[in-house]
Amino acid sequence: MAAEQTSGKTPDLLASSPFLQALAGQKPSRTPVWFMRQAGRSLPEYLKVREGIGMLESCQDADLITEITLQPVRRYGVDAAIFFSDIVLPLKAVGVDLDIKPGVGPVIANPVRTLADVEAIPDLTPEHVTYITEAVQNLTGELAGINGGTPLIGFAGAPFTVASYLVEGGPSKEYAKTKALMFGAPDVWDALMRKIAGISGAFLEVQVRAGASAVQLFDSWAGACTPADYERHVLPYSTQVLTRIGELGVPRIHFGVNSAMLLPLMGSAGAEVVGVDWRTPLDWAVTQLGDDFGVQGNLDPALVFAPTEVMLEQAGKIIEAGRRAKGHVFNLGHGVIPSTDPDQLARLTEFVQSYEPAEG
């Protein structure tokens, strides 16, 4: 019976949610808004609840996941909640030896170099992440009673970004080891990307089957690839993830950083909506993507530190540019910066949700 539950996107929620309407290519009465990395980062209540608790520990505790995911929804009244997790959490869940070190990021004890290294990574099953199922079920119950029903977005890292951590052993600026494997050992690269695509797809599927209404696939480092390299060495595997989730009937957002030259390719991977980072003019992105895709974005996260009137002026321009797209979800062009003033995000949320274009 549980397998019949494939989505939290009930007809009632779709009818009442500007976020889901925008993802469906409809024209909601107003532009919906949420923020990448809104679950935590700058919130004092987040810092308090996570005090003394490691990042990966937090991501494996259903009660903490639930509380942290709900915090920005309560504070800002955003139009969607993003599931609190981390890109490398599914790797940790299947037994990869890794840690998230403060000020550094994910660190892998034994980086991938060979086919044997890839084969040693188990596939992810729902039994690996029972706390995810529990947290999503808790969240969808809570979110149903907030603002007439607030959708939950499932979260996963895209194969290229997760692979870069596994190959580099941690964060990188050059991706030299990643590209050396990609070009120099294509059989190992293919096996690794297929493995991660399976893990990321399974991780998203767990969230959708537990009740998530939409998903976002984060390819944080996709911009390290040329369009030709992306098309050959990355796109097939992101397509694998998004196709699997599309079969469950929920809308999909595909986001990459520094990805202006990749936008049409990222759309072709199977998403209804393509996230646009802050470096890319939104009106230009809409033109590149054409009429088949909605867009998400894309205020520069640093503009939240500018005077409020400057921030809101730029936000208004982005809303206007988004009107040309099949659908538009307002967001930052990357994640919330940790030192962000939560009051500024509150002002930004209110502005977007009450925005009315100037006459004439």
Side-chain angles (χ1 to χ4, degrees):
M1 293 296 289
E4 296 177 4
Q5 171 64 35
T6 59
S7 171
K9 188 183 68 174
T10 64
D12 288 345
L13 186 56
L14 176 59
S16 65
S17 168
F19 170 75
L20 292 178
Q21 290 169 8
L23 265 56
Q26 302 174 10
K27 294 295 182 183
S29 60
R30 60 171 177 78
T31 301
V33 52
W34 69 280
F35 304 112
M36 286 182 282
R37 295 182 185 156
Q38 68 184 12
R41 303 289 280 184
S42 64
L43 295 181
E45 55 266 40
Y46 166 79
L47 298 175
K48 182 177 180 180
V49 77
R50 264 210 56 207
E51 190 172 357
I53 304 174
M55 179 64 181
L56 287 173
E57 293 175 79
S58 302
C59 295
Q60 294 173 293
D61 183 311
D63 290 338
L64 266 179
I65 294 168
T66 302
E67 170 59 22
I68 292 168
T69 302
L70 288 172
Q71 285 175 349
V73 181
R74 296 190 197 111
R75 180 182 275 262
Y76 303 130
V78 285
D79 294 300
I82 179 70
F83 188 76
F84 175 71
S85 189
D86 189 271
I87 281 175
V88 299
L89 187 277
L91 299 179
K92 181 72 171 180
V94 299
V96 174
D97 188 355
L98 65 87
D99 194 13
I100 297 178
K101 296 189 176 181
V104 178
V107 177
I108 311 294
N110 301 297
V112 169
R113 297 287 181 267
T114 66
L115 276 173
D117 294 335
V118 176
E119 291 166 356
I121 301 173
D123 295 324
L124 185 137
T125 68
E127 289 69 33
H128 285 114
V129 288
T130 55
Y131 49 87
I132 299 295
T133 298
E134 181 183 351
V136 173
Q137 291 174 342
N138 291 344
L139 281 163
T140 52
E142 293 277 353
L143 290 166
I146 299 177
N147 297 329
T150 300
L152 176 67
I153 307 168
F155 167 100
F160 178 80
T161 293
V162 178
S164 74
Y165 283 116
L166 278 170
V167 176
E168 301 287 342
S172 174
K173 293 182 179 179
E174 295 82 17
Y175 308 99
K177 295 174 183 175
T178 302
K179 292 183 180 181
L181 188 73
M182 179 193 298
F183 295 120
D187 57 334
V188 180
W189 180 256
D190 176 68
L192 177 60
M193 292 291 276
R194 288 181 183 277
K195 173 66 70 172
I196 300 170
I199 290 173
S200 291
F203 190 59
L204 287 175
E205 185 172 329
V206 166
Q207 294 170 66
V208 172
R209 290 195 181 279
S213 298
V215 301
Q216 177 158 307
L217 190 66
F218 287 79
D219 213 348
S220 304
W221 313 132
C225 298
T226 68
D229 293 340
Y230 180 90
E231 185 171 16
R232 179 177 178 182
H233 299 290
V234 179
L235 177 60
Y237 310 99
S238 293
T239 300
Q240 181 181 329
V241 178
L242 291 168
T243 299
R244 177 174 180 173
I245 300 308
E247 293 172 354
L248 299 179
V250 297
R252 301 151 293 178
I253 306 166
H254 195 188
F255 173 73
V257 178
N258 207 10
S259 57
M261 300 306 296
L262 306 177
L263 291 176
L265 290 169
M266 294 187 73
S268 74
E272 287 76 23
V273 173
V274 178
V276 182
D277 91 322
W278 58 268
R279 301 166 182 83
T280 308
L282 192 63
D283 53 357
W284 183 87
V286 171
T287 299
Q288 296 301 306
L289 287 163
D291 298 332
D292 294 333
F293 300 98
V295 293
Q296 179 175 275
N298 70 337
L299 185 72
D300 185 342
L303 276 174
V304 178
F305 296 86
T308 301
E309 61 272 17
V310 173
M311 174 185 71
L312 299 184
E313 179 183 5
Q314 293 302 313
K317 292 178 180 178
I318 288 169
I319 295 171
E320 290 295 333
R323 292 180 185 277
R324 295 180 48 218
K326 183 178 182 180
H328 177 219
V329 176
F330 187 94
N331 208 312
L332 302 179
H334 199 191
V336 173
I337 297 170
S339 54
T340 296
D341 177 1
D343 290 342
Q344 276 290 76
L345 286 183
R347 296 180 190 106
L348 181 57
T349 303
E350 181 181 6
F351 174 83
V352 175
Q353 291 178 335
S354 61
Y355 180 84
E356 295 183 4
E359 294 185 4

